[in-house]
Amino acid sequence: MKTTTEIGLSLVIPVFNEAENLDELIRRCLEVCLQTKRIFEIVLVDDGSSDASPAMISRAAEKHPGQIVGILLNRNYGQHAAVVAGLTESCGEIVVTLDADLQNPPEEIPKLLQETDKGIDVVGTIRMNRRDSFFRKFSSSLVNSMVRRATGVRMNDYGCMLRAYRRNVVDAMLQCHEHSTFIPILANSFAGSTSEIPVQHEARTQGDSKYSFLKLISLQFDLLTSMSTFPLRLLSFLGTTIAISGTLFGVFLMVMRFAMGTEWAAQGVFTLFALLYIFIGAQFIALGLLGEYIGRIYQDVRARPRFFIQEIVGNSPGIQGKK
Ligand code: UDP
Ligand code: MG
């Protein structure tokens, strides 16, 4: 991992079969970066494309030495893995991620930089008049509200990859070695301060979305499991609810039996149901307990750093010795 902070701005862009978009993407990104008057690098990560993208990236890197870096992965690992690969090689003080399909206009980058210049760690974006299908918009609004509840971080749009991160957050993310990562959420878990700004969103003009329905589902699972072990706890809640309703049903049957006589409720058949509910509930509770342990194992196996020290002020001989 490089740690040079000479470079002010790194763009990290995952590319998967985007040959039709690359030329325009590179042209527009270079233009924007030059306007910012910062030392910059554009890191293009080819995620195992089968079209001309890797060759085009290599050519661009040769043509713009010191400005464009190409990282070619040997096969397709998925957008977020590709972004992580780009982050490991990036060395800018500010890192901006965006999509290669020009749905995130590079011209919006200076707006993000204005925010990071205020000292904000993670700058998210809200897509104004989002140009995606109704299904995509609907499912992402569901997911966004779920994430807000689970993480407690009030951001409106987790799906938009046009985002800016400060170097300390990037370094923190790189210390997380878990396989299924969802970068915006991971970043927020290390961000001291976040903000969110509105940006334009364009329709995809060239090529198709690289997310099939199945890939979207697997992404949602990555997202869900990356942010919490709450689904495991849900088992205990479910079990308790079933067991309590079974018990209440049993009590109700008993009262009614005394009131209405033995003939009532099919001569005890319903009592069996009540018992069954209680046992099923107990099983779920047991599963939920197992889940609690698994959740803790999961947290430990991921071995995310527990905290990050921003700065140490003052010194003692002990701390100096460790440096
Ligand atoms: N992408 C990638 N690997 C993949 C799928 C997508 O690197 O396996 C890249 C893709 O080239 C694009 C970005 O991730 O730059 C977002 O993909 P896409 O535009 O297809 O997603 P959508 O806009 O439909 O959510
Ligand atoms: Mg897209």
Side-chain angles (χ1 to χ4, degrees), residues 23-315:
D23 280 335
E24 191 184 340
L25 174 82
I26 293 171
R27 182 181 61 72
R28 283 167 65 181
C29 286
L30 278 172
E31 208 170 285
V32 170
C33 287
L34 287 167
Q35 274 168 16
T36 63
K37 307 250 181 315
R38 302 177 192 220
I39 304 178
F40 69 90
E41 60 174 5
I42 300 176
V43 183
L44 293 164
V45 188
D46 177 68
D47 188 17
S49 305
S50 51
D51 65 357
S53 305
M56 289 173 80
I57 293 176
S58 310
R59 231 176 300 132
E62 268 168 36
K63 199 169 152 202
H64 303 276
Q67 293 183 325
I68 295 186
V69 184
I71 299 174
L72 312 181
L73 303 183
N74 66 336
R75 49 154 277 217
N76 181 243
Y77 291 97
Q79 180 187 0
H80 288 261
V83 172
V84 175
L87 294 180
T88 47
E89 296 306 316
S90 73
C91 31
E93 176 53 28
I94 305 293
V95 179
V96 173
T97 57
L98 70 157
D99 288 349
D101 57 357
L102 293 166
Q103 287 195 275
N104 310 133
E107 290 72 27
E108 301 283 5
I109 293 172
K111 281 197 207 163
L112 296 172
L113 296 180
Q114 269 176 12
E115 290 292 301
T116 50
D117 286 349
K118 292 182 201 157
I120 289 174
D121 283 338
V122 172
V123 183
T125 50
I126 308 174
R127 291 169 276 195
M128 294 283 109
N129 51 37
R130 182 172 171 193
R131 305 290 176 82
D132 273 322
S133 65
F134 171 77
F135 168 71
R136 291 291 298 266
K137 285 195 238 177
F138 175 71
S139 50
S140 98
S141 73
L142 266 185
V143 168
N144 281 325
S145 69
M146 208 168 73
V147 177
R148 268 199 299 276
R149 218 158 287 159
T151 58
V153 181
R154 293 213 64 78
M155 270 210 177
N156 288 300
D157 192 353
Y158 279 90
C160 186
M161 282 303 278
L162 178 59
R163 282 164 174 270
Y165 308 101
R166 205 162 263 291
R167 172 55 45 190
N168 57 351
V169 173
V170 172
D171 286 343
M173 288 198 278
L174 291 177
Q175 292 199 28
C176 300
H177 300 290
E178 61 218 52
H179 274 234
S180 40
T181 36
F182 194 83
I183 294 173
I185 294 181
L186 189 62
N188 274 4
S189 62
F190 295 118
S193 52
T194 60
S195 77
E196 216 175 14
I197 56 169
V199 290
Q200 290 302 319
H201 191 244
E202 307 285 340
R204 202 185 232 281
T205 50
Q206 305 288 333
D208 295 320
S209 169
K210 304 297 177 291
Y211 280 98
S212 62
F213 185 63
L214 278 181
K215 244 182 159 180
L216 271 180
I217 291 185
S218 111
L219 189 72
Q220 304 310 341
F221 274 116
D222 275 358
L223 197 150
L224 188 75
T225 53
S226 77
M227 66 186 178
S228 86
T229 49
F230 181 72
L232 288 173
R233 193 159 286 167
L234 220 56
L235 284 171
S236 310
F237 288 137
L238 188 68
T240 316
T241 317
I242 297 178
I244 290 178
S245 47
T247 315
L248 290 179
F249 188 44
V251 172
F252 170 72
L253 285 177
M254 201 162 74
V255 172
M256 290 303 274
R257 194 194 142 110
F258 284 127
M260 315 284 278
T262 48
E263 295 300 303
W264 196 78
Q267 294 179 319
V269 173
F270 282 95
T271 317
L272 280 181
F273 279 107
L275 282 176
L276 195 68
Y277 280 163
I278 295 172
F279 282 115
I280 291 177
Q283 278 172 9
F284 271 104
I285 292 173
L287 272 181
L289 261 178
L290 277 182
E292 288 293 325
Y293 286 100
I294 293 174
R296 279 163 180 70
I297 294 170
Y298 179 58
Q299 300 287 9
D300 278 358
V301 167
R302 283 198 301 192
R304 279 188 185 174
R306 278 202 273 178
F307 54 80
F308 270 91
I309 298 177
Q310 175 132 350
E311 196 183 348
I312 296 181
V313 286
N315 56 40

